[in-house]
Amino acid sequence: MGSLTHSTAPALVGYVVRALDLQAHLFEVTLTVAQVEADQVVSLPVWIPGSYLVREFAKHLQGLQARQGNKPVAITQRDKCSWQIHTKAGKALVLKYQVYAFDSSVRTAWLDTQRGFFNGTSLCLRVHGQEDTPHQLGLSNEGLPKDWQAATALRAQRVSKRGFGDYLADSYDELVDSPVELGAFWRGEFVAAGIKHHFIVSGASASFDGARLLADTQAICEAEISFWHGRQPQQAPQRHYLFMLNAVHDGYGGLEHRHSTALICKRADLPRHGQAKSGALSDGYTTLLGLISHEYFHTWNVKRLRPAEFARYDYAQENYTDLLWFFEGFTSYFDVLLLRRAKLIDNAHYLKLLAKTINQVLQTPGRQLQSVAQSSRDAWVKYYRQDENTANATVSYYTKGALVALCLDLSLRHSGKTSLDAVMRALWLRCQGGPMTQDDLLAVLADLSGQSYAVQVQQWVHGTADLPLKKLLKQHGIHYEEESASRLDQLGMKVSEQQGIRVKSVLRASAAEQAGFAAGDEWLGVATGQGKTTQRWRLNKLDDLATYLGSDTSCRALVARDQRLLTLPLNLPDTVRSVTLTVADTQPVNAWLDGKRPA
């Protein structure tokens, strides 16, 4: 599925990847370097761009061997992820090694009897000093079932009908930014704004409606290309694109790449034959389409227009930026909004999803401690390493970042001069689809609106005060109502209900914290009433609480902690609020959601 464009430059660094052992989950990689330096250094990345956590991919590399000609070459490991090969300069070097692949996420590598997948950051050693030379990737079908295919967004050189053969990348960056899917997957394609898009799905059941997924994805892609380039879709940066979706029993996630994206979803969330194609989408399918919209929007926002700190990736350590609130948060704002503009959801559905985001932020105590700029920089140690205290100490740059985008968009529209749509397009032109800073954003905001937004950005992005959501939404025809949250939200805890009720986290100053609940507690039951009216109930799931409490707002909770049985006094005061959004004035709502220029 790579483009058939041929590079005229010879590949100086070449990899051949084959499945060494499906049952043992082992890939074998043969790396050939045409000419090397004396004592050549090679390394494996410790992280993958788009997922801000040091994951130590080298822990799965084994059996590294080196040869020049017919002679073995000594290897010295320099640190956790790099090796010095004691080579003679100017001669060809051949490295061979294996990689254990048993992580089903979109970030690493997987291999079993049903499917194969890998990112180059997990399999491809970087040859220091030759990162900007052409790289070749050979995909071997040796040892694979006969019905397996291969797919990648890399440019094809000599490739079979099933996708096996040689692919070319202009650099190491392009090589490792092009994941590979292997298996007996479903495949389809469509054209959006003149650009060919391929879609492959692994793990789908027989009920999967591929035609509907293609049609809905096409609508998303056309809406996003139009968003960025208006009546000049030929200016879109991608000449081809590949969606790679792995459907599993329980999973969710996506990772953006320049010409492709790797996605994972619940199998039950796929569209099914026989489902009505009119009316509201199911929650699960809407979630999938939102994920597709999000990752495709990244084609512009983060893969090309990106933080200045990411102008050149350092694969050996963390790459810090304060701007994930923009690149992930603004993408999270537009991903659902563009579902509305693609006519896949209506106004009511959009407002329901927006209210969900608002409630997530307002019910996160950490928003009062951490700004979204701090959240961006802390991603390496906090966002991807969540624990029982995460919600109390942090705020998500995805959700609050989306609300910052909302506030900017509504503020700009209220001025009557511009919109966030126009700001994004102007940023694309100003930065030439490349590195940008917060100063670039401030300059464009001032240029298009005629006023400075420095104070708003300082307060909303670098401060911890709540955003002026109610005021701005009311100005655009939205009825913003705060009402008492559900009994379960009043508790202020998150639980696992796999085997009984196990407390995962307790929110700061919540009813659960005041009662004395702690992460790890097993909630066994409740006692209601007093004296002769006392009733004791076993809890099997959290929903049982509302049934047993009735109109009561207090009870005694029986929990097990470290093999001790504790009785905790639980009161549910009416303090946690939930926001609902409805249309009060159709005209301004449609003007905003349709993306019309402010009058």
Side-chain angles (χ1 to χ4, degrees):
M1 290 190 183
S3 162
L4 296 180
T5 301
H6 292 271
S7 172
T8 57
L12 301 179
V13 180
Y15 307 79
V16 175
V17 175
R18 74 180 184 97
L20 180 64
D21 191 326
L22 300 181
Q23 285 81 6
H25 318 294
L26 288 175
F27 283 110
E28 180 184 73
V29 182
T30 302
L31 167 57
T32 302
V33 188
Q35 291 186 327
V36 295
E37 302 174 350
D39 294 326
Q40 178 68 56
V41 175
V42 298
S43 65
L44 200 65
V46 303
W47 71 291
I48 182 169
S51 184
Y52 306 103
L53 178 68
V54 171
R55 297 184 185 276
E56 313 291 19
F57 298 129
K59 68 184 179 181
H60 294 308
L61 188 148
Q62 61 189 50
L64 179 62
Q65 299 177 351
R67 301 186 73 86
Q68 279 190 301
N70 294 322
K71 295 182 178 180
V73 179
I75 301 172
T76 300
Q77 185 163 355
R78 301 167 73 232
D79 52 37
K80 64 182 181 180
C81 65
S82 69
W83 295 261
Q84 187 172 62
I85 316 300
H86 297 288
T87 51
K88 294 181 179 179
K91 293 186 177 182
L93 168 68
V94 178
L95 296 174
K96 186 170 286 190
Y97 54 94
Q98 300 88 45
V99 175
Y100 177 71
F102 201 59
D103 183 334
S104 62
S105 76
V106 296
R107 300 177 294 262
T108 52
W110 173 269
L111 183 65
D112 70 358
T113 58
Q114 304 302 308
R115 171 182 177 261
F117 171 83
F118 67 86
N119 288 286
T121 44
S122 289
L123 262 67
C124 299
L125 286 168
R126 176 168 63 99
V127 181
H128 290 213
Q130 300 198 36
E131 292 91 344
D132 295 325
T133 63
H135 285 56
Q136 185 181 72
L137 176 66
L139 300 176
S140 171
N141 63 354
E142 180 184 349
L144 296 178
K146 293 183 179 180
D147 61 345
W148 276 33
Q149 306 170 74
T152 179
L154 287 171
R155 299 186 302 283
Q157 286 186 298
R158 296 169 295 276
V159 176
S160 71
K161 291 182 178 180
R162 291 193 174 276
F164 294 99
D166 295 332
Y167 293 85
L168 190 67
D170 289 336
S171 64
Y172 183 79
D173 283 342
E174 183 181 8
L175 174 76
V176 299
D177 198 25
S178 306
V180 173
E181 181 78 23
L182 305 168
F185 45 74
W186 174 91
R187 64 196 305 170
E189 62 182 58
F190 60 86
V191 175
I195 301 167
K196 182 172 285 189
H197 293 67
H198 296 271
F199 208 129
I200 63 174
V201 180
S202 298
S205 65
S207 65
F208 166 53
D209 187 349
R212 182 174 188 185
L213 181 62
L214 289 179
D216 292 343
T217 303
Q218 180 182 18
I220 292 169
C221 294
E222 289 175 343
E224 297 198 1
I225 294 170
S226 176
F227 172 91
W228 286 100
H229 304 291
R231 298 179 180 178
Q232 297 179 305
Q234 69 276 8
Q235 294 184 355
Q238 69 277 31
R239 301 270 49 88
H240 62 281
Y241 197 87
L242 171 63
F243 292 95
M244 315 165 77
L245 174 61
N246 181 29
V248 298
H249 174 66
D250 188 16
Y252 173 83
L255 190 60
E256 68 276 1
H257 301 279
R258 285 177 68 87
H259 293 283
S260 61
T261 182
L263 310 165
I264 187 168
C265 77
K266 291 182 179 180
R267 193 170 290 115
D269 291 346
L270 291 173
R272 296 189 295 275
H273 291 295
Q275 284 182 327
K277 295 188 178 181
S278 60
L281 302 177
S282 69
D283 289 344
Y285 187 43
T286 302
T287 298
L288 172 57
L289 292 179
L291 177 65
I292 290 170
S293 178
H294 184 98
E295 302 305 337
Y296 194 67
F297 198 84
H298 274 319
T299 304
W300 294 267
N301 197 40
V302 90
K303 293 312 299 181
R304 291 171 174 85
L305 188 65
R306 62 191 184 277
E309 297 91 339
F310 292 176
R312 188 68 188 255
Y313 293 123
D314 182 347
Y315 293 104
Q317 61 184 349
E318 298 89 342
N319 291 214
Y320 292 101
T321 178
D322 292 338
L323 289 174
L324 294 184
W325 58 269
F326 179 88
F327 291 99
E328 291 294 353
F330 281 40
T331 299
S332 296
Y333 171 62
F334 283 112
D335 60 18
V336 180
L337 184 56
L338 286 161
L339 294 185
R340 160 62 178 76
R341 293 186 187 169
K343 296 181 172 56
L344 296 173
I345 59 175
D346 60 18
N347 289 358
H349 198 165
Y350 173 76
L351 293 177
K352 178 182 177 182
L353 295 173
L354 178 58
K356 179 179 178 181
T357 300
I358 292 172
N359 286 320
Q360 285 176 335
V361 173
L362 293 180
Q363 294 175 15
T364 300
R367 78 186 192 282
Q368 299 174 324
L369 292 177
Q370 185 188 55
S371 70
V372 283
Q374 292 170 328
S375 176
S376 299
R377 185 162 290 266
D378 282 341
W380 296 91
V381 294
K382 292 187 177 181
Y383 184 81
Y384 284 93
R385 291 175 174 167
Q386 298 193 15
D387 58 26
E388 70 282 351
N389 194 49
T390 293
N392 296 322
T394 70
V395 68
S396 167
Y397 49 77
Y398 284 90
T399 52
K400 188 175 179 182
L403 297 185
V404 170
L406 169 69
C407 289
L408 277 175
D409 196 10
L410 298 184
S411 296
L412 292 166
R413 289 180 178 278
H414 187 64
S415 73
K417 294 182 178 180
T418 189
S419 68
L420 192 58
D421 299 36
V423 167
M424 299 300 287
R425 290 189 286 267
L427 271 172
W428 176 262
L429 296 175
R430 174 186 173 91
C431 301
Q432 299 181 322
M436 65 160 276
T437 66
Q438 180 178 289
D439 286 342
D440 290 312
L441 173 61
L442 289 172
V444 170
L445 286 169
D447 183 50
L448 295 188
S449 70
Q451 66 183 75
S452 172
Y453 272 78
V455 171
Q456 289 91 331
V457 169
Q458 181 63 36
Q459 291 175 346
W460 301 346
V461 173
H462 299 276
T464 58
D466 285 338
L467 301 170
L469 297 167
K470 185 173 184 178
K471 172 185 174 182
L472 291 169
L473 285 165
K474 287 181 68 176
Q475 289 174 346
H476 288 78
I478 300 298
H479 180 58
Y480 183 108
E481 183 178 359
E482 297 175 82
E483 56 188 20
S484 178
S486 70
R487 282 290 182 84
L488 300 184
D489 287 335
Q490 294 288 348
L491 277 172
M493 66 164 62
K494 293 183 179 180
V495 301
S496 168
E497 297 179 303
Q498 297 296 323
Q499 294 180 333
I501 302 173
R502 183 75 63 173
V503 178
K504 295 169 59 178
S505 63
V506 177
L507 298 184
R508 185 71 66 243
S510 65
E513 184 183 66
Q514 292 173 1
F517 279 94
D521 286 351
E522 182 182 4
W523 194 352
L524 303 174
V526 294
T528 63
Q530 298 290 335
K532 294 182 179 180
T533 64
T534 296
Q535 292 184 315
R536 294 176 175 82
W537 301 99
R538 180 76 165 90
L539 292 182
N540 294 309
K541 55 185 184 299
L542 212 52
D543 285 341
D544 293 340
L545 184 64
T547 300
Y548 298 143
L549 279 184
S551 59
D552 291 343
T553 59
S554 63
C555 65
R556 297 172 300 287
L558 179 64
V559 304
R561 180 186 303 165
D562 190 28
Q563 301 302 308
R564 295 183 178 184
L565 296 180
L566 306 176
T567 300
L568 308 178
L570 177 62
N571 296 291
L572 296 176
D574 184 13
T575 55
V576 180
R577 315 303 288 174
S578 180
V579 171
T580 58
L581 305 176
T582 54
V583 175
D585 187 342
T586 302
Q587 184 174 350
V589 171
N590 284 338
W592 159 41
L593 298 184
D594 287 335
K596 295 178 181 178
R597 295 181 62 181

